[in-house]
Amino acid sequence: MRKLYVVLLIILLTPITVYAWNDCPYGLLNDPFPGQCPRYVDTNQDEICDHSQSPSSGSINNSATDEQKKQNRGNGKNESNNSSSDIQNANHIPKENYNLILVATTTTIIYLITYLLYLERRLKRRNLYRIWNYTLITSFLITGATGLIMAIFINYGIQSSWNLTIDFWHAEFAIIMAVSTLYHFHLYWKQLKKVFTG
């Protein structure tokens, strides 16, 4: 019966991971030039990162910038001055969007799959515990290291293109750490119960 519940949970959670994914790994919307992350790509030359805009808006913006360039050539305006003013007039940079649902759900599905393999006796108990111990330790170390780097950057006022990247991965691994801590409690429930009951 326990196996059936685990399988049903996996089936129910899988669509969430499919619909939670966004093309921009940082969840930015219409990220203006020069871009807030190292993955900035602008193939249609509309000065907005292709990963942060929908294909329809990208084609609209591209046609609009093409018309502006034609007008500027006809009026004799300098395109570089216009592009710098476009950058200044661009929408404010949106707040970061972390993949909370996607990361938490994916971690849960992976845990359920490993737990199901354990219930089916295809994965040894020792290996199941080892997988989730390593997951918890790794996510803890990365969260701690990126948090320390962020603290140094903030404390000394260091501004670089890596600030957003470090902040993003700090949050993502913190989500993995929090979720895998819950599953760590599930695996060590008997030992944990003894701590509170004496």
Side-chain angles (χ1 to χ4, degrees), residues 16-183:
I16 295 171
T17 59
V18 173
Y19 290 111
W21 183 252
N22 189 352
D23 187 35
C24 177
Y26 303 101
L28 296 173
L29 183 65
N30 294 329
D31 185 20
F33 178 83
Q36 296 298 306
C37 75
R39 295 189 180 188
Y40 181 87
V41 176
D42 187 15
T43 55
N44 57 7
Q45 298 177 351
D46 62 351
E47 296 177 351
I48 296 174
C49 180
D50 295 344
H51 293 294
S52 67
Q53 63 184 162
S54 64
S56 58
S57 66
S59 60
I60 292 166
N61 287 337
N62 192 26
S63 62
T65 53
D66 286 344
E67 287 177 15
Q68 287 175 354
K69 286 178 184 177
K70 286 176 186 175
Q71 287 176 357
N72 289 341
R73 284 186 198 128
N75 295 336
K77 289 182 181 177
N78 190 350
E79 285 184 27
S80 61
N81 290 339
N82 188 40
S83 63
S84 64
S85 66
D86 286 345
I87 294 164
Q88 291 171 356
N89 293 332
N91 293 335
H92 71 284
I93 298 163
K95 293 179 182 177
E96 281 187 79
N97 185 15
Y98 303 113
N99 299 315
L100 172 64
I101 295 170
L102 176 66
V103 174
T105 309
T106 304
T107 308
T108 302
I109 289 171
I110 293 168
Y111 176 75
L112 291 171
I113 290 169
T114 56
Y115 189 66
L116 182 63
L117 290 171
Y118 163 70
L119 292 176
E120 298 251 332
R121 298 179 189 270
R122 294 183 183 187
L123 185 67
K124 292 181 181 177
R125 179 185 171 124
R126 184 183 65 198
N127 292 336
L128 174 68
Y129 281 55
R130 190 177 289 173
I131 288 167
W132 290 99
N133 286 340
Y134 285 145
T135 302
L136 184 59
I137 290 167
T138 304
S139 59
F140 172 77
L141 290 174
I142 294 172
T143 302
T146 51
L148 184 62
I149 293 166
M150 281 169 46
I152 292 167
F153 279 14
I154 292 166
N155 195 38
Y156 293 103
I158 299 168
Q159 296 291 333
S160 78
S161 59
W162 289 99
N163 286 37
L164 185 64
T165 304
I166 293 166
D167 186 41
F168 176 80
W169 288 113
H170 174 76
E172 297 298 299
F173 278 98
I175 295 165
I176 294 170
M177 183 182 70
V179 173
S180 45
T181 300
L182 296 175
Y183 301 133

